[in-house]
Coordinates of all heavy atoms in Angstrom, one line a residue:
M1 N 34.5 19.8 -31.6 CA 35.4 19.0 -32.3 C 36.1 18.1 -31.2 O 36.7 18.6 -30.3 CB 36.4 19.8 -33.1 CG 37.5 19.0 -33.7 SD 38.8 20.0 -34.4 CE 38.6 19.6 -36.1
S2 N 36.1 16.8 -31.4 CA 36.8 15.9 -30.4 C 38.3 15.9 -30.7 O 38.7 15.8 -31.8 CB 36.2 14.6 -30.4 OG 36.6 13.9 -31.5
S3 N 39.0 15.9 -29.6 CA 40.5 15.7 -29.8 C 40.9 14.3 -29.6 O 40.5 13.6 -28.7 CB 41.3 16.6 -28.9 OG 41.2 16.1 -27.6
K4 N 41.6 13.7 -30.6 CA 42.0 12.4 -30.5 C 43.5 12.3 -30.3 O 44.3 13.1 -30.9 CB 41.6 11.6 -31.8 CG 40.2 11.5 -31.9 CD 39.8 10.5 -33.0 CE 38.3 10.4 -33.0 NZ 37.8 9.4 -33.9
V5 N 44.0 11.4 -29.5 CA 45.4 11.2 -29.2 C 46.0 10.5 -30.4 O 45.5 9.5 -30.8 CB 45.6 10.4 -27.9 CG1 47.0 10.2 -27.7 CG2 44.9 11.1 -26.8
T6 N 47.1 11.0 -30.9 CA 47.9 10.4 -31.9 C 49.3 10.0 -31.3 O 49.9 10.9 -30.7 CB 48.2 11.3 -33.1 OG1 46.9 11.6 -33.7 CG2 49.0 10.5 -34.2
A7 N 49.6 8.8 -31.4 CA 50.9 8.3 -30.7 C 52.1 8.4 -31.7 O 51.9 8.3 -32.9 CB 50.7 6.8 -30.4
T8 N 53.2 8.7 -31.1 CA 54.4 8.7 -31.9 C 55.2 7.4 -31.4 O 55.5 7.3 -30.2 CB 55.3 10.0 -31.5 OG1 54.5 11.1 -31.8 CG2 56.5 10.0 -32.4
P9 N 55.4 6.5 -32.3 CA 56.1 5.3 -31.9 C 57.5 5.5 -31.5 O 58.3 6.0 -32.2 CB 56.0 4.4 -33.2 CG 55.9 5.3 -34.3 CD 55.2 6.6 -33.8
K10 N 57.8 5.2 -30.2 CA 59.1 5.3 -29.6 C 59.3 4.2 -28.6 O 59.3 4.6 -27.4 CB 59.3 6.7 -29.0 CG 59.2 7.8 -30.0 CD 59.4 9.1 -29.2 CE 59.3 10.3 -30.1 NZ 59.4 11.6 -29.4
V11 N 59.4 3.0 -28.9 CA 59.6 1.9 -27.9 C 60.9 1.2 -28.2 O 61.1 0.7 -29.3 CB 58.4 1.0 -28.0 CG1 58.6 -0.2 -27.0 CG2 57.1 1.7 -27.7
S12 N 61.7 1.1 -27.1 CA 62.9 0.3 -27.2 C 62.6 -1.1 -26.9 O 61.5 -1.4 -26.4 CB 64.0 0.8 -26.2 OG 63.6 0.4 -24.9
S13 N 63.4 -2.0 -27.3 CA 63.2 -3.5 -27.1 C 63.0 -3.8 -25.6 O 62.3 -4.7 -25.2 CB 64.3 -4.3 -27.7 OG 65.5 -4.0 -27.1
Q14 N 63.7 -3.0 -24.7 CA 63.6 -3.3 -23.3 C 62.2 -2.8 -22.7 O 61.8 -3.4 -21.7 CB 64.7 -2.6 -22.5 CG 66.1 -3.1 -22.8 CD 67.1 -2.4 -22.1 OE1 67.0 -1.2 -21.7 NE2 68.3 -3.0 -22.0
E15 N 61.6 -1.9 -23.3 CA 60.3 -1.3 -22.9 C 59.1 -2.0 -23.5 O 58.0 -1.7 -23.1 CB 60.3 0.2 -23.1 CG 61.4 1.0 -22.5 CD 61.3 2.4 -23.0 OE1 60.8 2.7 -24.1 OE2 61.9 3.3 -22.3
K16 N 59.3 -2.8 -24.5 CA 58.2 -3.3 -25.3 C 57.1 -4.1 -24.5 O 57.4 -4.9 -23.6 CB 58.7 -4.3 -26.4 CG 57.6 -4.8 -27.3 CD 58.2 -5.5 -28.5 CE 57.1 -5.9 -29.4 NZ 57.5 -6.3 -30.7
L17 N 55.9 -3.7 -24.7 CA 54.7 -4.4 -24.2 C 54.1 -5.3 -25.3 O 54.0 -4.8 -26.4 CB 53.7 -3.4 -23.7 CG 53.8 -2.8 -22.3 CD1 52.6 -1.9 -22.0 CD2 53.9 -3.9 -21.2
Y18 N 53.8 -6.5 -25.0 CA 53.2 -7.4 -25.9 C 51.7 -7.2 -25.6 O 51.3 -6.9 -24.5 CB 53.6 -8.8 -25.7 CG 55.1 -8.9 -26.0 CD1 56.1 -8.7 -25.0 CD2 55.5 -9.2 -27.3 CE1 57.4 -8.8 -25.3 CE2 56.9 -9.3 -27.6 CZ 57.8 -9.1 -26.6 OH 59.2 -9.2 -26.8
N19 N 50.9 -7.4 -26.7 CA 49.4 -7.3 -26.4 C 48.6 -8.2 -27.4 O 49.2 -8.7 -28.4 CB 49.0 -5.8 -26.6 CG 49.1 -5.4 -28.0 OD1 48.3 -5.7 -28.9 ND2 50.1 -4.6 -28.3
R20 N 47.4 -8.3 -27.1 CA 46.4 -9.1 -27.9 C 45.4 -8.2 -28.5 O 44.3 -8.7 -28.9 CB 45.8 -10.2 -27.0 CG 46.7 -11.3 -26.6 CD 45.9 -12.4 -25.9 NE 46.7 -13.5 -25.7 CZ 46.8 -14.2 -24.6 NH1 46.1 -13.9 -23.6 NH2 47.6 -15.3 -24.6
I21 N 45.7 -7.0 -28.7 CA 44.7 -6.1 -29.3 C 44.2 -6.5 -30.7 O 43.0 -6.5 -31.0 CB 45.2 -4.6 -29.3 CG1 45.4 -4.1 -27.9 CG2 44.2 -3.7 -30.0 CD1 46.1 -2.8 -27.8
G22 N 45.2 -6.9 -31.5 CA 44.8 -7.3 -32.9 C 43.9 -8.5 -32.9 O 42.9 -8.5 -33.7
V23 N 44.2 -9.5 -32.0 CA 43.4 -10.7 -32.0 C 42.0 -10.3 -31.5 O 41.0 -10.8 -32.0 CB 44.0 -11.7 -31.0 CG1 43.1 -12.9 -30.8 CG2 45.4 -12.2 -31.6
L24 N 41.9 -9.5 -30.4 CA 40.6 -9.2 -29.8 C 39.8 -8.3 -30.8 O 38.6 -8.5 -30.9 CB 40.8 -8.4 -28.5 CG 41.5 -9.2 -27.4 CD1 41.9 -8.3 -26.3 CD2 40.5 -10.3 -26.9
R25 N 40.5 -7.5 -31.5 CA 39.8 -6.6 -32.5 C 39.2 -7.5 -33.6 O 38.1 -7.4 -34.1 CB 40.7 -5.6 -33.1 CG 40.1 -4.6 -34.0 CD 41.1 -3.5 -34.4 NE 42.3 -4.0 -35.0 CZ 42.4 -4.4 -36.3 NH1 41.3 -4.4 -37.1 NH2 43.5 -4.8 -36.8
A26 N 40.0 -8.4 -34.1 CA 39.6 -9.3 -35.2 C 38.5 -10.2 -34.8 O 37.5 -10.5 -35.5 CB 40.8 -10.2 -35.7
E27 N 38.5 -10.7 -33.5 CA 37.4 -11.6 -33.0 C 36.1 -10.8 -33.0 O 35.0 -11.5 -33.2 CB 37.7 -12.0 -31.6 CG 38.7 -13.1 -31.4 CD 39.0 -13.4 -30.0 OE1 38.6 -12.7 -29.1 OE2 39.7 -14.4 -29.7
R28 N 36.1 -9.5 -32.9 CA 34.9 -8.7 -32.8 C 34.6 -8.0 -34.1 O 33.7 -7.2 -34.2 CB 35.0 -7.7 -31.7 CG 35.0 -8.4 -30.3 CD 35.6 -7.5 -29.2 NE 35.5 -8.1 -27.9 CZ 36.3 -9.1 -27.5 NH1 37.2 -9.7 -28.2 NH2 36.1 -9.6 -26.2
N29 N 35.4 -8.4 -35.2 CA 35.2 -7.8 -36.5 C 35.2 -6.3 -36.5 O 34.4 -5.7 -37.1 CB 33.9 -8.3 -37.2 CG 34.0 -9.8 -37.4 OD1 35.0 -10.3 -37.9 ND2 32.9 -10.5 -37.1
L30 N 36.1 -5.7 -35.8 CA 36.3 -4.3 -35.7 C 37.4 -3.8 -36.5 O 38.5 -4.4 -36.6 CB 36.6 -3.9 -34.2 CG 35.5 -4.1 -33.2 CD1 36.1 -3.8 -31.8 CD2 34.3 -3.1 -33.4
S31 N 37.2 -2.7 -37.2 CA 38.4 -2.1 -37.9 C 39.2 -1.3 -36.9 O 38.7 -1.0 -35.8 CB 37.9 -1.1 -39.0 OG 37.2 0.0 -38.4
R32 N 40.4 -0.9 -37.3 CA 41.2 -0.1 -36.4 C 40.5 1.2 -36.1 O 40.5 1.8 -35.0 CB 42.6 0.2 -37.0 CG 43.5 -1.0 -36.9 CD 44.9 -0.7 -37.5 NE 45.7 -1.9 -37.3 CZ 46.8 -2.1 -38.0 NH1 47.2 -1.3 -38.9 NH2 47.5 -3.2 -37.7
Q33 N 39.8 1.8 -37.2 CA 39.1 3.0 -37.0 C 38.0 2.9 -36.0 O 37.8 3.8 -35.2 CB 38.6 3.5 -38.4 CG 37.9 4.9 -38.3 CD 38.9 6.0 -38.0 OE1 39.9 6.2 -38.7 NE2 38.7 6.7 -36.9
E34 N 37.2 1.8 -36.1 CA 36.1 1.6 -35.1 C 36.6 1.5 -33.7 O 36.1 2.1 -32.8 CB 35.3 0.4 -35.5 CG 34.5 0.5 -36.8 CD 34.0 -0.8 -37.3 OE1 34.6 -1.9 -37.1 OE2 32.9 -0.8 -37.9
L35 N 37.7 0.8 -33.5 CA 38.3 0.6 -32.1 C 38.8 2.0 -31.7 O 38.6 2.4 -30.6 CB 39.4 -0.4 -32.1 CG 40.1 -0.6 -30.7 CD1 39.1 -0.9 -29.6 CD2 41.1 -1.7 -30.8
A36 N 39.5 2.7 -32.6 CA 40.1 4.0 -32.2 C 39.0 5.0 -31.8 O 39.1 5.7 -30.8 CB 40.9 4.5 -33.4
D37 N 37.9 5.0 -32.6 CA 36.8 5.9 -32.2 C 36.2 5.6 -30.9 O 35.9 6.5 -30.1 CB 35.7 5.8 -33.3 CG 36.0 6.4 -34.6 OD1 37.0 7.1 -34.7 OD2 35.3 6.1 -35.6
S38 N 36.1 4.3 -30.5 CA 35.6 3.9 -29.2 C 36.5 4.3 -28.1 O 36.1 4.5 -27.0 CB 35.3 2.4 -29.2 OG 34.3 2.0 -30.1
L39 N 37.8 4.3 -28.4 CA 38.8 4.6 -27.4 C 39.2 6.1 -27.3 O 39.8 6.5 -26.4 CB 40.1 3.8 -27.6 CG 40.0 2.3 -27.5 CD1 41.3 1.6 -27.9 CD2 39.5 1.8 -26.2
G40 N 38.8 6.8 -28.3 CA 39.1 8.2 -28.4 C 40.5 8.5 -28.8 O 41.1 9.5 -28.3
V41 N 41.0 7.7 -29.7 CA 42.4 7.9 -30.2 C 42.4 7.8 -31.7 O 41.4 7.5 -32.3 CB 43.4 6.8 -29.6 CG1 43.5 6.8 -28.1 CG2 43.0 5.4 -30.1
N42 N 43.5 8.2 -32.3 CA 43.6 8.1 -33.7 C 43.8 6.6 -34.1 O 44.4 5.8 -33.4 CB 44.9 8.9 -34.1 CG 45.0 9.0 -35.6 OD1 45.4 8.1 -36.3 ND2 44.8 10.2 -36.1
Y43 N 43.3 6.3 -35.3 CA 43.4 4.9 -35.8 C 44.9 4.4 -35.9 O 45.2 3.2 -35.7 CB 42.7 4.6 -37.1 CG 43.4 5.2 -38.3 CD1 44.3 4.4 -39.1 CD2 43.3 6.5 -38.7 CE1 45.0 4.9 -40.1 CE2 44.0 7.0 -39.8 CZ 44.8 6.2 -40.5 OH 45.5 6.7 -41.6
Q44 N 45.8 5.4 -36.1 CA 47.2 5.0 -36.2 C 47.7 4.6 -34.9 O 48.6 3.7 -34.8 CB 48.0 6.2 -36.7 CG 47.7 6.5 -38.2 CD 48.5 7.7 -38.7 OE1 48.5 8.7 -38.0 NE2 49.1 7.6 -39.8
T45 N 47.2 5.1 -33.8 CA 47.6 4.7 -32.4 C 47.3 3.3 -32.2 O 48.1 2.5 -31.6 CB 46.9 5.6 -31.4 OG1 47.3 7.0 -31.6 CG2 47.3 5.2 -30.0
V46 N 46.1 2.8 -32.7 CA 45.7 1.4 -32.5 C 46.7 0.5 -33.3 O 47.2 -0.5 -32.8 CB 44.3 1.2 -33.0 CG1 44.0 -0.3 -33.1 CG2 43.3 1.9 -32.2
G47 N 47.1 0.9 -34.5 CA 48.1 0.2 -35.3 C 49.4 0.1 -34.6 O 50.1 -0.9 -34.5
Y48 N 49.9 1.2 -34.1 CA 51.2 1.3 -33.4 C 51.1 0.3 -32.1 O 52.1 -0.4 -31.9 CB 51.5 2.7 -32.9 CG 51.9 3.7 -34.0 CD1 51.5 5.0 -33.9 CD2 52.6 3.3 -35.1 CE1 51.8 5.9 -34.9 CE2 52.9 4.2 -36.1 CZ 52.5 5.5 -36.0 OH 52.8 6.4 -36.9
M49 N 50.0 0.4 -31.4 CA 49.9 -0.5 -30.2 C 49.9 -2.0 -30.7 O 50.6 -2.8 -30.1 CB 48.6 -0.2 -29.4 CG 48.7 1.1 -28.6 SD 47.4 1.2 -27.4 CE 45.9 1.3 -28.4
E50 N 49.1 -2.3 -31.7 CA 49.1 -3.7 -32.1 C 50.4 -4.2 -32.5 O 50.8 -5.4 -32.3 CB 48.1 -3.8 -33.3 CG 46.7 -3.7 -33.0 CD 45.7 -3.9 -34.2 OE1 46.2 -4.0 -35.3 OE2 44.5 -3.9 -33.9
R51 N 51.2 -3.4 -33.2 CA 52.6 -3.8 -33.6 C 53.6 -3.8 -32.5 O 54.7 -4.2 -32.7 CB 53.0 -3.0 -34.8 CG 52.3 -3.2 -36.1 CD 52.9 -2.5 -37.2 NE 53.0 -1.0 -37.0 CZ 52.0 -0.2 -37.3 NH1 50.8 -0.6 -37.8 NH2 52.1 1.1 -37.1
G52 N 53.3 -3.2 -31.4 CA 54.2 -3.1 -30.3 C 55.1 -1.9 -30.5 O 56.2 -1.8 -29.8
D53 N 54.8 -1.0 -31.3 CA 55.6 0.2 -31.6 C 55.3 1.3 -30.6 O 56.0 2.3 -30.5 CB 55.4 0.8 -33.0 CG 55.9 -0.2 -34.1 OD1 56.8 -1.0 -33.7 OD2 55.4 -0.1 -35.2
Y54 N 54.2 1.2 -29.8 CA 53.8 2.2 -28.9 C 53.2 1.6 -27.7 O 52.4 0.7 -27.8 CB 52.8 3.1 -29.6 CG 52.1 4.1 -28.6 CD1 52.8 5.2 -28.2 CD2 50.8 3.9 -28.2 CE1 52.2 6.1 -27.3 CE2 50.2 4.9 -27.4 CZ 50.9 5.9 -26.9 OH 50.3 6.8 -26.1
N55 N 53.7 2.0 -26.5 CA 53.1 1.5 -25.3 C 52.1 2.5 -24.8 O 52.4 3.7 -24.7 CB 54.2 1.4 -24.2 CG 55.1 0.2 -24.4 OD1 54.9 -0.7 -25.2 ND2 56.3 0.3 -23.8
P56 N 50.9 2.0 -24.6 CA 49.8 3.0 -24.2 C 50.1 3.5 -22.7 O 50.8 2.8 -21.9 CB 48.5 2.1 -24.2 CG 49.0 0.7 -23.9 CD 50.4 0.7 -24.6
S57 N 49.5 4.7 -22.5 CA 49.5 5.2 -21.1 C 48.7 4.2 -20.2 O 47.9 3.4 -20.8 CB 48.9 6.6 -21.0 OG 47.5 6.5 -21.4
L58 N 48.8 4.3 -19.0 CA 48.1 3.5 -18.1 C 46.6 3.7 -18.3 O 45.8 2.8 -18.3 CB 48.5 3.7 -16.6 CG 47.8 2.9 -15.5 CD1 48.0 1.4 -15.8 CD2 48.2 3.3 -14.2
E59 N 46.2 5.0 -18.4 CA 44.8 5.4 -18.7 C 44.3 4.7 -19.9 O 43.2 4.2 -19.9 CB 44.7 6.9 -18.7 CG 43.3 7.4 -18.6 CD 42.6 7.6 -19.9 OE1 43.3 7.8 -20.9 OE2 41.4 7.4 -20.0
L60 N 45.0 4.8 -21.0 CA 44.6 4.2 -22.3 C 44.5 2.6 -22.1 O 43.6 2.0 -22.6 CB 45.5 4.6 -23.4 CG 45.2 4.0 -24.8 CD1 43.7 4.3 -25.2 CD2 46.1 4.5 -25.9
A61 N 45.5 2.0 -21.4 CA 45.4 0.6 -21.2 C 44.1 0.2 -20.5 O 43.5 -0.8 -20.8 CB 46.7 0.1 -20.4
F62 N 43.7 1.0 -19.5 CA 42.5 0.7 -18.8 C 41.3 0.9 -19.7 O 40.3 0.1 -19.6 CB 42.3 1.6 -17.6 CG 43.0 1.0 -16.4 CD1 44.1 1.7 -15.8 CD2 42.6 -0.1 -15.8 CE1 44.8 1.2 -14.7 CE2 43.3 -0.7 -14.7 CZ 44.4 0.0 -14.1
R63 N 41.3 1.9 -20.6 CA 40.2 2.1 -21.6 C 40.1 0.9 -22.5 O 39.0 0.4 -22.8 CB 40.4 3.4 -22.4 CG 39.9 4.6 -21.6 CD 39.8 5.8 -22.6 NE 41.2 6.4 -22.7 CZ 41.6 7.1 -23.7 NH1 40.8 7.4 -24.7 NH2 42.8 7.6 -23.7
V64 N 41.2 0.4 -22.9 CA 41.3 -0.8 -23.8 C 40.7 -2.0 -23.0 O 39.8 -2.8 -23.5 CB 42.7 -1.2 -24.3 CG1 42.7 -2.5 -25.0 CG2 43.2 -0.1 -25.2
S65 N 41.1 -2.2 -21.8 CA 40.6 -3.2 -20.9 C 39.1 -3.2 -20.7 O 38.4 -4.2 -20.9 CB 41.3 -3.1 -19.6 OG 40.8 -4.0 -18.6
E66 N 38.6 -2.0 -20.4 CA 37.2 -1.8 -20.2 C 36.4 -2.0 -21.5 O 35.3 -2.7 -21.5 CB 36.9 -0.4 -19.7 CG 37.4 -0.2 -18.3 CD 37.4 1.2 -17.8 OE1 37.0 2.1 -18.6 OE2 37.8 1.5 -16.7
F67 N 36.9 -1.6 -22.6 CA 36.3 -1.8 -23.9 C 36.1 -3.3 -24.2 O 35.0 -3.7 -24.6 CB 37.0 -1.1 -25.1 CG 36.4 -1.4 -26.4 CD1 35.3 -0.6 -26.8 CD2 36.8 -2.4 -27.2 CE1 34.7 -0.8 -28.0 CE2 36.2 -2.6 -28.5 CZ 35.2 -1.8 -28.9
F68 N 37.1 -4.1 -24.0 CA 37.0 -5.5 -24.3 C 36.4 -6.3 -23.1 O 36.2 -7.5 -23.3 CB 38.4 -6.1 -24.7 CG 38.8 -5.6 -26.1 CD1 40.0 -4.8 -26.2 CD2 38.2 -6.0 -27.2 CE1 40.4 -4.4 -27.5 CE2 38.6 -5.6 -28.5 CZ 39.7 -4.8 -28.6
G69 N 36.3 -5.7 -22.0 CA 35.7 -6.4 -20.8 C 36.6 -7.5 -20.3 O 36.2 -8.5 -19.8
L70 N 37.9 -7.2 -20.3 CA 39.0 -8.1 -19.9 C 39.9 -7.4 -18.9 O 40.1 -6.2 -19.1 CB 39.8 -8.7 -21.1 CG 39.0 -9.5 -22.1 CD1 39.8 -9.8 -23.3 CD2 38.6 -10.9 -21.4
P71 N 40.6 -8.2 -18.0 CA 41.6 -7.5 -17.2 C 42.8 -7.1 -18.0 O 43.1 -7.7 -19.1 CB 42.0 -8.6 -16.2 CG 41.4 -9.9 -16.7 CD 40.4 -9.6 -17.7
V72 N 43.4 -6.1 -17.6 CA 44.6 -5.5 -18.3 C 45.6 -6.6 -18.6 O 46.2 -6.7 -19.7 CB 45.2 -4.3 -17.5 CG1 46.5 -3.9 -18.1 CG2 44.3 -3.2 -17.4
E73 N 45.8 -7.5 -17.6 CA 46.9 -8.5 -17.8 C 46.5 -9.6 -18.8 O 47.3 -10.3 -19.3 CB 47.3 -9.2 -16.5 CG 46.1 -9.9 -15.8 CD 45.3 -9.0 -14.8 OE1 45.4 -7.8 -14.9 OE2 44.6 -9.6 -14.0
A74 N 45.2 -9.6 -19.2 CA 44.8 -10.5 -20.3 C 45.1 -9.9 -21.7 O 45.1 -10.6 -22.7 CB 43.3 -10.9 -20.2
I75 N 45.3 -8.6 -21.7 CA 45.5 -7.9 -23.0 C 47.0 -7.5 -23.1 O 47.5 -7.6 -24.2 CB 44.6 -6.7 -23.0 CG1 43.2 -7.1 -22.9 CG2 44.9 -5.9 -24.3 CD1 42.2 -5.9 -22.8
F76 N 47.7 -7.1 -22.1 CA 49.0 -6.6 -22.1 C 50.0 -7.5 -21.3 O 49.6 -7.9 -20.2 CB 49.1 -5.2 -21.6 CG 48.3 -4.2 -22.4 CD1 47.0 -3.8 -22.0 CD2 48.8 -3.7 -23.6 CE1 46.3 -2.9 -22.8 CE2 48.1 -2.8 -24.4 CZ 46.8 -2.4 -23.9
S77 N 51.2 -7.6 -21.7 CA 52.2 -8.4 -21.0 C 53.6 -7.9 -21.3 O 53.8 -7.4 -22.4 CB 52.1 -9.9 -21.4 OG 53.1 -10.6 -20.8
R78 N 54.5 -8.0 -20.3 CA 55.9 -7.6 -20.6 C 56.7 -8.8 -21.3 O 57.8 -8.6 -21.7 CB 56.6 -7.3 -19.3 CG 55.9 -6.0 -18.7 CD 56.6 -5.5 -17.4 NE 57.9 -5.1 -17.7 CZ 58.9 -5.0 -16.8 NH1 58.6 -5.2 -15.6 NH2 60.1 -4.6 -17.2
T79 N 56.1 -10.0 -21.3 CA 56.7 -11.1 -22.0 C 55.7 -11.5 -23.1 O 54.5 -11.3 -23.0 CB 57.0 -12.3 -21.1 OG1 55.7 -12.7 -20.5 CG2 58.0 -11.9 -20.0
P80 N 56.2 -12.2 -24.2 CA 55.3 -12.6 -25.3 C 54.3 -13.6 -24.8 O 54.5 -14.4 -23.9 CB 56.3 -13.3 -26.3 CG 57.6 -12.8 -25.9 CD 57.6 -12.5 -24.5
F81 N 53.1 -13.4 -25.3 CA 52.0 -14.4 -25.0 C 52.2 -15.7 -25.7 O 52.7 -15.7 -26.9 CB 50.7 -13.8 -25.5 CG 50.1 -12.7 -24.6 CD1 50.2 -11.4 -25.1 CD2 49.5 -12.9 -23.4 CE1 49.7 -10.3 -24.3 CE2 49.0 -11.9 -22.6 CZ 49.1 -10.6 -23.1
R82 N 51.8 -16.8 -25.1 CA 51.8 -18.0 -25.8 C 50.6 -18.0 -26.7 O 49.6 -17.4 -26.4 CB 51.6 -19.2 -24.8 CG 52.8 -19.5 -24.0 CD 52.7 -20.7 -23.1 NE 51.9 -21.8 -23.5 CZ 51.0 -22.4 -22.8 NH1 50.9 -22.1 -21.5 NH2 50.3 -23.4 -23.3
P83 N 50.6 -18.6 -27.9 CA 49.5 -18.6 -28.8 C 48.2 -19.2 -28.0 O 48.4 -20.1 -27.2 CB 49.9 -19.5 -29.9 CG 51.4 -19.4 -29.9 CD 51.8 -19.3 -28.5
L84 N 47.1 -18.6 -28.3 CA 45.9 -19.1 -27.6 C 45.6 -20.5 -27.9 O 45.1 -21.3 -27.1 CB 44.7 -18.2 -28.1 CG 44.7 -16.8 -27.5 CD1 43.5 -16.0 -28.1 CD2 44.5 -16.8 -26.0
S85 N 45.9 -21.0 -29.1 CA 45.7 -22.4 -29.5 C 46.5 -23.3 -28.5 O 46.0 -24.4 -28.2 CB 46.1 -22.7 -30.9 OG 47.4 -22.4 -31.2
E86 N 47.7 -22.9 -28.2 CA 48.5 -23.7 -27.2 C 47.9 -23.7 -25.8 O 48.0 -24.7 -25.1 CB 50.0 -23.2 -27.1 CG 50.8 -23.5 -28.3 CD 52.2 -23.0 -28.1 OE1 52.6 -22.6 -27.0 OE2 53.0 -22.9 -29.1
Q87 N 47.3 -22.6 -25.4 CA 46.7 -22.5 -24.1 C 45.4 -23.3 -24.0 O 45.1 -23.9 -23.0 CB 46.5 -21.0 -23.8 CG 47.8 -20.3 -23.5 CD 47.5 -18.8 -23.2 OE1 46.7 -18.1 -23.9 NE2 48.2 -18.3 -22.2
L88 N 44.7 -23.3 -25.1 CA 43.4 -23.9 -25.1 C 43.5 -25.4 -25.4 O 42.7 -26.2 -24.9 CB 42.4 -23.3 -26.2 CG 42.0 -21.9 -25.9 CD1 41.2 -21.3 -27.0 CD2 41.2 -21.8 -24.6
Y89 N 44.5 -25.8 -26.3 CA 44.6 -27.2 -26.7 C 46.1 -27.6 -26.5 O 46.8 -27.7 -27.5 CB 44.2 -27.3 -28.2 CG 42.8 -26.9 -28.4 CD1 42.5 -25.6 -29.0 CD2 41.7 -27.6 -28.0 CE1 41.2 -25.2 -29.2 CE2 40.4 -27.2 -28.2 CZ 40.2 -26.0 -28.8 OH 38.9 -25.5 -29.0
P90 N 46.5 -27.8 -25.3 CA 47.9 -28.2 -25.1 C 48.2 -29.5 -25.9 O 47.4 -30.4 -26.0 CB 48.1 -28.4 -23.6 CG 46.8 -28.2 -23.0 CD 45.8 -27.8 -24.1
S91 N 49.4 -29.5 -26.5 CA 49.7 -30.7 -27.3 C 49.9 -31.9 -26.4 O 50.3 -31.9 -25.3 CB 51.0 -30.5 -28.1 OG 52.0 -30.1 -27.2
V92 N 49.5 -33.0 -26.9 CA 49.5 -34.3 -26.2 C 50.9 -34.9 -26.5 O 51.4 -34.9 -27.6 CB 48.4 -35.3 -26.8 CG1 48.5 -36.6 -26.1 CG2 47.1 -34.6 -26.6
K93 N 51.5 -35.3 -25.4 CA 52.9 -36.0 -25.5 C 52.7 -37.3 -26.2 O 51.9 -38.1 -25.8 CB 53.5 -36.1 -24.2 CG 53.9 -34.8 -23.5 CD 54.7 -35.1 -22.2 CE 55.1 -33.8 -21.6 NZ 55.8 -34.0 -20.4
R94 N 53.5 -37.5 -27.2 CA 53.5 -38.8 -27.9 C 54.7 -39.6 -27.5 O 55.8 -39.1 -27.4 CB 53.6 -38.5 -29.4 CG 52.3 -37.8 -29.9 CD 52.4 -37.6 -31.3 NE 51.2 -36.8 -31.7 CZ 50.8 -36.6 -32.9 NH1 51.4 -37.2 -33.9 NH2 49.7 -35.9 -33.1
E95 N 54.5 -40.9 -27.3 CA 55.6 -41.7 -26.8 C 56.2 -42.4 -28.0 O 55.8 -42.6 -29.0 CB 55.0 -42.8 -25.9 CG 54.5 -42.1 -24.6 CD 53.9 -43.1 -23.6 OE1 54.4 -44.2 -23.5 OE2 52.9 -42.7 -23.0

């Protein structure tokens, strides 16, 4: 029987990590359960992380990074991410 980590959400506003897990999961058409199974955690843990209710351990953050094939800093941040549309298509200044 495999043991899966279940997170208990306990994040204060000062400790909050922002992440792109939900966007990355949606881009790959993965359910929370499928991602959770790949990471070896409970599906609720994925939901807590996506909502910012739970900060993953460093080890889990690296597993998420390896799963998506992206650097940790592309997935997690201590400040809110700018929307990808703004990063890819900066608005043109109008005179």
Side-chain angles (χ1 to χ4, degrees):
M1 175 188 243
S2 73
S3 70
K4 293 190 178 186
V5 177
T6 302
T8 304
K10 295 179 182 176
V11 176
S12 74
S13 60
Q14 293 178 340
E15 301 171 337
K16 183 171 182 161
L17 276 181
Y18 298 88
N19 69 75
R20 290 188 167 136
I21 296 171
V23 171
L24 295 168
R25 185 175 58 77
E27 286 177 346
R28 289 157 177 80
N29 295 317
L30 292 170
S31 68
R32 285 184 176 156
Q33 185 66 60
E34 290 167 327
L35 178 57
D37 290 345
S38 296
L39 298 174
V41 298
N42 187 287
Y43 76 94
Q44 291 174 316
T45 301
V46 172
Y48 290 143
M49 285 192 299
E50 286 181 356
R51 290 188 302 275
D53 293 337
Y54 172 73
N55 290 342
S57 65
L58 183 58
E59 193 271 331
L60 179 53
F62 276 114
R63 279 192 277 159
V64 172
S65 171
E66 290 168 1
F67 178 82
F68 289 115
L70 295 169
V72 171
E73 62 272 17
I75 302 171
F76 298 98
S77 174
R78 294 182 68 196
T79 58
F81 285 104
R82 284 181 41 218
L84 289 174
S85 59
E86 284 182 17
Q87 291 178 316
L88 295 173
Y89 304 104
S91 56
V92 177
K93 290 186 180 181
R94 296 181 186 195
E95 296 179 36

